[in-house]
Amino acid sequence: MPVSLCLTSPNCFRTFSLVPNPAMAPGPNSLMWFRKGLRIHDNPALEHAAKGCGCLYPVFVIDPHYMKPDPVTFSPGSTRAGLNRIRFLLESLVDLDANLKKLGSRLLVLKGEPSEWDIKRLCFEYETEPYYQALDCKVKNYASLAGIEVFSPVSHTLFNPADIIQKNGGRPPLSYQSFLKLAGKPSWASFPLVTKLNPLSAIGHVGNCEISEVPTVQELGYEDTREDELTVFRGGESEALRRLRDSIKGKEWVANFEKPKGDPSAFLKPATTVLSPYLKFGCLSSRYFYQCIQDVQKNVERHTSPPVSLLGQLLWRDFFYTVGFGTPNFEQMRGNRICKQVPWNDDDDELLAAWRDARTGFPWIDAIMVQLRKWGWTHHLARHSVACFLTRGDLFVHWEKGRDVFERLLIDHDWAINNGNWLWLSCSSFFYQYNRIYSPISFGKKYDPDGEYIRHFLPVLKDMPKEYIYEPWTAPLSIQTKAKCIVGKDYPKPVVSHDSASKECKRKLAEAYELNKKLNGVVSNEDLQGLRRKLEEKESQEPRPKRLKQKLISWRPK
């Protein structure tokens, strides 16, 4: 009897009925379910699906859990995929379809009623996110009832996070160095990866399903934007491999790569590989990238080492995947055993909106947020700046709120890495030196004293003299008038005084750390509320002008 197999959420409109393959068929029919891993090279799931099969069905499912348009709100439960990421994904699917066609197949994006396909083998890349873990468990159970083989290899990461956790006694390592010691060298690294496939088997009968081309953003219900809002990154495996070739051909650059060094203001030619969006969607295999870096390092006399090397950056990625996979409630503060419990301002929507919409009055911060909205990407040090500013540096807004904005806007948003970095940068986990704060004024000035980055993304300030470009509110009115930018009218005043706000943030974190230490990390809601009242009482006794007295103007960057 056929078993209905839903390949996305319970409300999904893409369902397939899978039945055991007839014994007389020349080989088992395979369904290759693409989610990430949108590539041909080093794709063990696709390789296994194609091996000795009768018919091969390469399928991508439009999952409304991620791709239902909601262009306005950032409320909990709203879509977590902004237009830039959706466009990048669709471009990646178009490229995948073209590469499959070169092998005699194609990508199936399906519409219509459920159909019965004679499937005996279901293949998909292993996923570590909680959403996919729950979904895959259901899928495997359904497939087992139908007698269908399931093959789900680990190939999105360098290591299987479960293996690392097992080596560590059942808990994820909480430091990068301990992760490196446990991880060692990947077991596959000594063998050549399969980067080319033979022609694929033909697609079998699809029943009543309507096969369509990859949809456009408009067909999905997203409103397209003006040309100047488009990201500079084009999706797809072909583009990923081109960028990889360009990155590794400079062997000295690869050998001497040293993060966190790099210029966060170098927007025309970023000082990184900018391969993160391609790794996120699996357009580029992290394992293939790893081997390419190793090949370069073998042919140079000296090279940097983890954690700062290019190879080290890939290992950071696996570190966060491992911790996220092994930590319940990793994406939140409450119930997260590795997260400091802090009484963040989680109800200050006015400050959150000013930060999100590039209206803080600090040009360095606002320019970064404009670039994030337009490009769906910023340099990692730029991300550090705005994350610190929102949380422990100035505004003391809950890191989960900032995480949600990044989750919506970043093309390279990755569940484990995004949450891990917000935990780190808010000093909630991994990193606890809360006295070290990124200045919203001097940090950017160190890299770009003339403010060219600010002038590009905030053209309202393009004529502001460089002496005032990072602090336009200090410019005399005559200078503001000449620059055609009156602060408070054409561009916002600062939402806080950085000096007093940062001192206040440090004081609050010191109190929160002391409470966590006293209660051995077991902090209840009542404990947090008590600390919040204590902090408010101190603030009323010793007034600190954290927020400047002003009405936040409805200015929007162009």
Side-chain angles (χ1 to χ4, degrees), residues 376-401:
W377 182 90
T378 65
H379 188 276
H380 64 273
L381 289 178
R383 301 183 197 197
H384 292 187
S385 293
V386 294
C388 179
F389 182 86
L390 180 70
T391 57
R392 64 184 174 88
D394 290 80
L395 304 187
F396 213 69
V397 171
H398 203 308
W399 64 266
E400 292 176 19
K401 300 292 184 75

Side-chain angles (χ1 to χ4, degrees), residues 324-489:
F325 178 74
T327 305
N329 303 311
F330 183 64
E331 76 283 5
Q332 61 191 50
M333 181 179 78
R334 301 303 297 163
N336 183 348
R337 65 177 181 82
I338 71 169
C339 181
K340 297 287 187 185
Q341 302 299 297
V342 177
W344 301 107
N345 301 331
D346 54 7
D347 58 352
D348 202 329
D349 293 336
E350 191 179 49
L351 285 180
L352 173 66
W355 174 83
R356 181 193 68 206
D357 299 337
R359 294 185 288 114
T360 68
F362 289 91
W364 172 244
I365 300 299
D366 292 340
I368 294 169
M369 295 306 292
V370 172
Q371 184 188 24
L372 175 61
R373 192 191 71 224
K374 288 190 172 187
W375 288 22
W377 182 90
T378 65
H379 188 276
H380 64 273
L381 289 178
R383 301 183 197 197
H384 292 187
S385 293
V386 294
C388 179
F389 182 86
L390 180 70
T391 57
R392 64 184 174 88
D394 290 80
L395 304 187
F396 213 69
V397 171
H398 203 308
W399 64 266
E400 292 176 19
K401 300 292 184 75
R403 182 273 319 278
D404 287 347
V405 174
F406 270 35
E407 186 171 353
R408 175 72 173 272
L409 295 178
L410 282 172
I411 292 177
D412 61 6
H413 163 261
D414 186 296
W415 181 84
I417 298 171
N418 192 34
N419 281 293
N421 276 318
W422 277 95
L423 284 163
W424 187 300
L425 290 164
S426 65
C427 281
S428 294
S429 191
F430 306 116
F431 177 77
Y432 304 107
Q433 298 178 37
Y434 57 82
N435 285 309
R436 294 174 59 184
I437 288 176
Y438 290 87
S439 167
I441 300 165
S442 61
F443 184 73
K445 190 183 296 185
K446 176 174 65 174
Y447 295 96
D448 181 22
D450 292 334
E452 294 306 315
Y453 176 83
I454 292 171
R455 297 179 202 281
H456 179 86
F457 288 107
L458 294 176
V460 69
L461 291 168
K462 64 182 177 62
D463 295 323
M464 188 66 68
K466 68 177 185 179
E467 294 83 2
Y468 303 106
I469 189 72
Y470 285 89
E471 301 173 89
W473 63 91
T474 65
L477 183 58
S478 59
I479 298 292
Q480 295 181 33
T481 302
K482 186 177 180 180
K484 304 181 186 67
C485 180
I486 305 300
V487 176
K489 175 186 175 185

Side-chain angles (χ1 to χ4, degrees), residues 14-73:
R14 302 288 188 267
T15 307
F16 311 100
S17 296
L18 307 187
V19 297
N21 186 62
M24 63 186 68
N29 288 350
S30 297
L31 191 152
M32 173 61 200
W33 179 19
F34 286 98
R35 294 100 65 91
K36 297 177 187 173
L38 304 180
R39 64 181 184 272
I40 305 299
H41 75 280
D42 184 34
N43 194 327
L46 177 59
E47 182 187 356
H48 187 80
K51 188 175 182 180
C53 72
C55 297
L56 175 64
Y57 298 89
V59 170
F60 182 84
V61 178
I62 306 274
D63 186 351
H65 178 81
Y66 287 114
M67 300 179 70
K68 183 179 179 181
D70 179 13
V72 178
T73 67

Side-chain angles (χ1 to χ4, degrees), residues 286-316:
S286 61
R287 308 193 314 171
Y288 181 58
F289 190 15
Y290 179 98
Q291 285 197 340
C292 288
I293 297 171
Q294 280 203 318
D295 289 343
V296 170
Q297 291 181 345
K298 290 175 185 175
N299 296 304
V300 295
E301 185 175 346
R302 294 180 181 178
H303 59 79
T304 54
S305 301
V308 299
S309 65
L310 202 54
L311 200 61
Q313 300 316 299
L314 275 178
L315 292 167
W316 271 111

Side-chain angles (χ1 to χ4, degrees), residues 10 29 58 76 124 189 196 232 244 253 257 262 269 300 312 349 368 398 429 431 502 510 529:
N29 288 350
F124 53 89
K196 293 183 180 181
V232 297
L244 174 63
W253 182 85
F257 184 91
K269 189 177 181 181
V300 295
D349 293 336
I368 294 169
H398 203 308
S429 191
F431 177 77
S502 60
Q529 290 171 2

Side-chain angles (χ1 to χ4, degrees), residues 174-291:
L174 298 182
S175 75
Y176 180 78
Q177 291 301 329
S178 60
F179 168 81
L180 289 185
K181 290 178 182 178
L182 289 164
K185 186 177 180 180
S187 58
W188 49 265
S190 301
F191 304 95
L193 298 172
V194 177
T195 56
K196 293 183 180 181
L197 292 180
N198 294 322
L200 300 173
S201 300
I203 294 170
H205 179 60
V206 296
N208 298 325
C209 284
E210 177 190 340
I211 300 176
S212 70
E213 299 295 326
V214 175
T216 64
V217 289
Q218 293 86 353
E219 288 169 342
L220 287 176
Y222 288 82
E223 293 183 8
D224 210 343
T225 56
R226 300 187 311 275
E227 189 69 21
D228 65 352
E229 295 289 330
L230 293 179
T231 179
V232 297
F233 309 114
R234 182 171 183 81
E237 178 183 17
S238 300
E239 178 67 9
L241 293 175
R242 184 193 69 78
R243 285 177 175 267
L244 174 63
R245 288 191 297 269
D246 288 347
S247 295
I248 63 176
K249 68 182 179 184
K251 293 183 179 181
E252 290 302 315
W253 182 85
V254 174
N256 295 321
F257 184 91
E258 190 173 354
K259 189 177 179 180
K261 291 182 179 179
D263 185 351
S265 66
F267 59 95
L268 293 178
K269 189 177 181 181
T272 67
T273 64
V274 197
L275 287 171
S276 56
Y278 304 93
L279 291 167
K280 179 266 185 301
F281 282 106
C283 301
L284 173 64
S285 160
S286 61
R287 308 193 314 171
Y288 181 58
F289 190 15
Y290 179 98
Q291 285 197 340

